[in-house]
């Protein structure tokens, strides 16, 4: 794969943020981005790293009308020694192609995905922040660009990767969240697109989240669409509960996103000898465990925060406080371990870390 490189002229380069404590999330983007086009007759072509710019697409581009659009979320981490690492990037490439297949979009070859990613990050390496817990967020995406109305798979696509520095998620320490269990709205149903990072899923999740936030909660805890009994995910993260000494998370049955952090949590916990179950977990079971004093910890998992402790759950008019609203010991241990692996501070027994620059 030949990637054409067009450098941004020095006058057009942005000033890098001076205060890494104020980076926030998803507001600052780097000087360059990767683009590659697809045409049904030509396949993928015109791979380029070019100056960051607005896209030009037709008002009838199919992604705008029918949401044939997918994405990924990953990060580049800078170690204390200055080296830059990725965390399990091939898993993102595989998941991207799973999403693509489900939405009738063309696959991006793993080698091409990895080459685009590493070339872009190396070019933008001065943008990878140095502050503790900060990183360069990476957003690969694919959109349907054929200018045509009528619901059918597009014949043209654009694959692009944008990057931007993001702040430390816990710059002020862990703050356990308050979660609202939604019984009226669902995120995904069997046979739907819940296991894909498909853009439309997130638009569909906004309304329930708005209700939860309006009531003073941070996130929605989604239940299964059929019985509205079993926990599925929290916001845009996977969910874990510690009941007694068992770590429990819902199984990958097609309605939840197969999180890479989720998988890392499961593998680490098993490695430490903790009993882990991927099984359906109902609100009834959770509340019953709570009544017996066995609901020990709950947390969400995802690339943005690694793990995010849950301090309170609101369900059917009642608040259930977990671990006195404080971060549980396993939650904290998992957070520290994964963080240290990502930043090259700890041995990586699973081979998850990929160094892309010294
Ligand atoms: C991205 C995402 C996750 C977390 O996946 P990671 O690979 O751990 O970042 C979980 N649930 C949803 C709905 C997501 O979009």
């Amino acid at each position: 794969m030949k990637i054409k490189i067009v450098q941004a002229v020095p006058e057009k380069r942005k000033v890098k943020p001076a205060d890494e404590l104020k980076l926030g999330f998803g507001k600052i983007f780097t000087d360059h981005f990767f683009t590659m086009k697809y045409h049904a007759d030509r396949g993928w072509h015109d791979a380029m790293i070019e100056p960051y710019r607005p896209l030009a697409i037709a008002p009838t581009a199919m992604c705008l009308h029918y949401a044939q659009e997918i994405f990924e979320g990953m990060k580049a981490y800078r170690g204390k020694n200055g080296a830059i690492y990725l965390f399990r990037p091939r898993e993102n490439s595989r998941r991207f192609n799973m999403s693509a297949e489900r939405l009738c979009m063309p696959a991006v070859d793993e080698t091409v995905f990895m080459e685009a990613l590493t070339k872009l990050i190396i070019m933008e390496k001065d943008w990878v922040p140095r502050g503790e817990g900060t990183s360069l967020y990476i957003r690969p995406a694919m959109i349907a660009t054929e200018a045509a109305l009528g619901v059918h798979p597009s014949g043209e696509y654009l694959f692009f990767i944008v990057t931007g520095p993001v702040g430390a998620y816990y710059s002020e320490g862990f703050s356990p969240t308050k979660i609202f269990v939604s019984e009226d709205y669902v995120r995904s149903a069997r046979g739907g697109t819940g296991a894909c990072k498909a853009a439309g899923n997130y638009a569909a999740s906004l309304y329930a989240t708005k209700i939860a936030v309006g009531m003073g909660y941070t996130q929605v805890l989604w239940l299964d669409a059929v019985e509205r009994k079993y926990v599925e995910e929290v916001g845009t993260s996977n969910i874990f509960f510690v009941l007694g000494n068992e770590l429990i998370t819902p199984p990958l049955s097609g309605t939840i996103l197969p999180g890479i952090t989720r998988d890392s949590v499961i593998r680490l916990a098993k490695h430490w000898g903790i009993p882990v179950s991927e099984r359906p977990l109902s609100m009834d079971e959770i509340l019953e465990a709570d009544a017996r004093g066995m609901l020990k910890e709950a947390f969400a998992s995802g690339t943005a925060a690694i793990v995010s402790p849950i301090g309170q759950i609101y369900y059917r008019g009642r608040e259930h406080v977990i671990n006195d609203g404080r971060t549980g010991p396993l939650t904290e241990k998992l957070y520290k371990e994964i963080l240290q692996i990502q930043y090259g501070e700890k041995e990586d027994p699973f081979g998850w870390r990929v160094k892309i620059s010294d």
Side-chain angles (χ1 to χ4, degrees), residues 196-244:
C196 307
K197 273 196 176 322
N201 291 346
Y202 303 85
S205 75
L206 295 175
Y207 193 73
T209 310
K210 183 172 145 181
I211 293 173
V213 170
M215 290 178 66
Y217 295 88
T218 331
Q219 273 302 348
V220 174
L221 194 165
W222 303 102
L223 299 180
D224 76 282
V226 179
E227 297 184 68
R228 314 259 165 123
K229 266 169 71 175
Y230 298 96
V231 300
E232 295 243 301
E233 296 207 62
V234 55
T236 57
S237 305
N238 295 112
I239 192 162
F240 286 84
F241 285 87
V242 181
L243 303 188

Side-chain angles (χ1 to χ4, degrees), residues 33-36 55 139-143 158-162:
F33 77 138
F34 175 86
T35 59
M36 181 167 72
L55 300 174
R139 169 57 57 90
M142 194 199 306
I143 60 174
L158 179 73
F159 171 60
F160 60 89
I161 308 174
V162 296

Side-chain angles (χ1 to χ4, degrees), residues 71-74 92 95 137 187 194 196-198 201-202 222 233-239 256-263 301-304 306:
F71 65 93
E72 269 303 320
M74 49 204 302
N92 293 93
R95 190 169 66 190
Y137 187 75
R187 194 190 80 88
C196 307
K197 273 196 176 322
N201 291 346
Y202 303 85
W222 303 102
E233 296 207 62
V234 55
T236 57
S237 305
N238 295 112
I239 192 162
I256 70 169
L257 208 285
I260 296 160
T261 320
R262 174 188 179 278
D263 184 70
S301 76
T303 296
I306 308 178

Side-chain angles (χ1 to χ4, degrees), residues 120-283:
L120 177 64
I121 296 159
I122 287 169
M123 201 158 145
E124 303 294 66
K125 69 179 199 282
D126 294 343
W127 280 95
V128 183
R130 289 168 189 279
E132 194 171 311
T134 64
S135 57
L136 187 75
Y137 187 75
I138 305 160
R139 169 57 57 90
M142 194 199 306
I143 60 174
T145 49
E146 186 183 335
L149 297 182
V151 178
H152 59 82
S154 171
E156 293 164 41
Y157 298 90
L158 179 73
F159 171 60
F160 60 89
I161 308 174
V162 296
T163 62
V166 297
Y169 203 88
Y170 295 112
S171 49
E172 282 153 39
F174 275 124
S175 41
T177 53
K178 293 172 68 180
I179 302 299
F180 178 88
V181 181
S182 177
E183 289 194 277
D184 293 335
Y185 301 97
V186 294
R187 194 190 80 88
S188 121
R190 284 244 176 136
T193 56
C196 307
K197 273 196 176 322
N201 291 346
Y202 303 85
S205 75
L206 295 175
Y207 193 73
T209 310
K210 183 172 145 181
I211 293 173
V213 170
M215 290 178 66
Y217 295 88
T218 331
Q219 273 302 348
V220 174
L221 194 165
W222 303 102
L223 299 180
D224 76 282
V226 179
E227 297 184 68
R228 314 259 165 123
K229 266 169 71 175
Y230 298 96
V231 300
E232 295 243 301
E233 296 207 62
V234 55
T236 57
S237 305
N238 295 112
I239 192 162
F240 286 84
F241 285 87
V242 181
L243 303 188
N245 68 345
E246 184 189 16
L247 181 63
I248 309 169
T249 196
L252 301 178
S253 53
T255 56
I256 70 169
L257 208 285
I260 296 160
T261 320
R262 174 188 179 278
D263 184 70
S264 308
V265 164
I266 292 171
R267 291 184 42 193
L268 269 176
K270 284 185 176 165
H271 183 67
W272 291 336
I274 294 164
V276 183
S277 307
E278 294 175 68
R279 63 170 175 86
L281 177 63
S282 67
M283 278 309 299

Side-chain angles (χ1 to χ4, degrees), residues 1 18 25 87 103 105 114 119 141 148 152 160 166 177 185 189 221 245 288 296 325 331 334 352 356:
M1 162 109 306
F25 182 87
F87 184 70
L103 271 82
M105 302 170 92
M114 288 301 298
K119 284 230 165 88
H152 59 82
F160 60 89
V166 297
T177 53
Y185 301 97
L221 194 165
N245 68 345
E288 195 194 289
K296 301 293 186 192
T331 307
L334 284 161
W352 287 339
I356 58 166

